Amino acid sequence: MTEARADLVVDTSGRFSKLPQWLAEMGYEVPRPDVLRANIGYSTQRFQVPHHLTYLIEKWDVINIAGQPATGTFTGVFSFIENQVAEMLLYRPGGNYPPTDEKGYRQAIVELPSPLIAEILEGLEPLTTIRSYRVPELYRHRYEQMTRWPSGLLVLGDAFCIFDPIFGQGMTVAAIEAEKLDACLRQQQVNPQLDFEKEVLVCMQAAIEPAWWLNCATDIQCEGVEYDGSDSLPGITFISRVMSLLLQEATAKQNLPWYGLYWGVNTLSQSPRDIFNAQTVSEILGTSDEGMQLLAELQQTHHGMSLEEILDEIIPFKE
């Protein structure tokens, strides 16, 4: 084995990182990670787009038909990739996995809340068999809580926290973490600190937290998903209900600014605080009886506090 020395080692070995085990073996006390037992299942198939249907590529980019947690329907995502190839994905958390046989797969697509994808697929030719993928759980390590941390060691990406792949947030968060690491390294050159690594880990969590909460808030709606972590479940439930009401209002009334806001926050191109501020939350909750009831319950359990103060208390991310 070749030994290599470095001033700084960054673990980017992904979800199979052995860092928790190595730290424990070296005598460090490693906190339990936050875990979302999501039991996510995907089934994917690719199709050839015939020449007479290539106009669909110009008409559509991605069609996302969200499943309804209350009824247990799947989410369907249809997208055009390249070389006149399209991809179909069925997805659902909670352990009730999408089918992988041709008949069951097609039937599940027909049963999506909208017939649009099923109608398009009628004219396409399968290129591959149906392939499945499983994600038993999502985790978020809490290394920043450790009282002792090895000098010269850092971690980022999936080795720190993994997300539900359906949201496409993992690479985005890793890029944000890399930017924060760069800023911390530059600051360290100007003003060296002995606890530099611990400060970086705290900054990493600031990048992780919004995406982690959005993942939990979305997947926890599905039966069979369980949360085991140090954060407040009532706060996660509140985020879940607000996001659900926002999407419902945006799609039912074709409110394009709100629809854009929903996906802007979910893709991390906008701050969650663009939704979770007193004005926007009031507008969202005021659109339905369910929302008004949620607002009344919130104010009752936080008597005497303004909505802005309540949001600051139950929602951890500040940016």
Side-chain angles (χ1 to χ4, degrees), residues 177-189 196 200:
E177 290 171 349
E179 289 182 341
K180 288 187 176 294
L181 174 57
D182 176 69
C184 290
L185 287 169
R186 293 179 185 275
Q187 180 62 31
Q188 179 70 358
Q189 286 182 316
F196 163 73
V200 176

Side-chain angles (χ1 to χ4, degrees), residues 55-67 74-81 86-91 109 112-121 124 166 259 263:
Y55 72 91
L56 292 171
I57 300 174
E58 298 296 326
K59 184 176 181 180
W60 301 102
D61 180 17
V62 176
I63 301 172
N64 188 324
I65 301 176
F74 295 108
T75 288
V77 181
F78 176 85
S79 57
F80 292 102
I81 306 174
E87 183 175 82
M88 178 64 209
L89 178 147
L90 287 176
Y91 153 89
I109 295 171
L112 291 173
S114 166
L116 180 57
I117 294 178
E119 292 170 357
I120 291 176
L121 285 179
L124 307 188
I166 196 70
Y259 191 75
W263 284 109

Side-chain angles (χ1 to χ4, degrees), residues 121-156:
L121 285 179
E122 287 181 1
L124 307 188
E125 194 70 29
L127 275 178
T128 66
T129 58
I130 300 163
R131 297 171 185 174
S132 62
Y133 181 65
R134 306 285 186 258
V135 182
E137 63 183 28
L138 310 177
Y139 61 76
R140 173 192 183 191
H141 287 296
R142 305 308 302 257
Y143 295 129
E144 82 288 353
Q145 297 177 354
M146 293 173 58
T147 55
R148 294 192 305 124
W149 180 261
S151 176
L153 175 65
L154 288 173
V155 54
L156 61 78

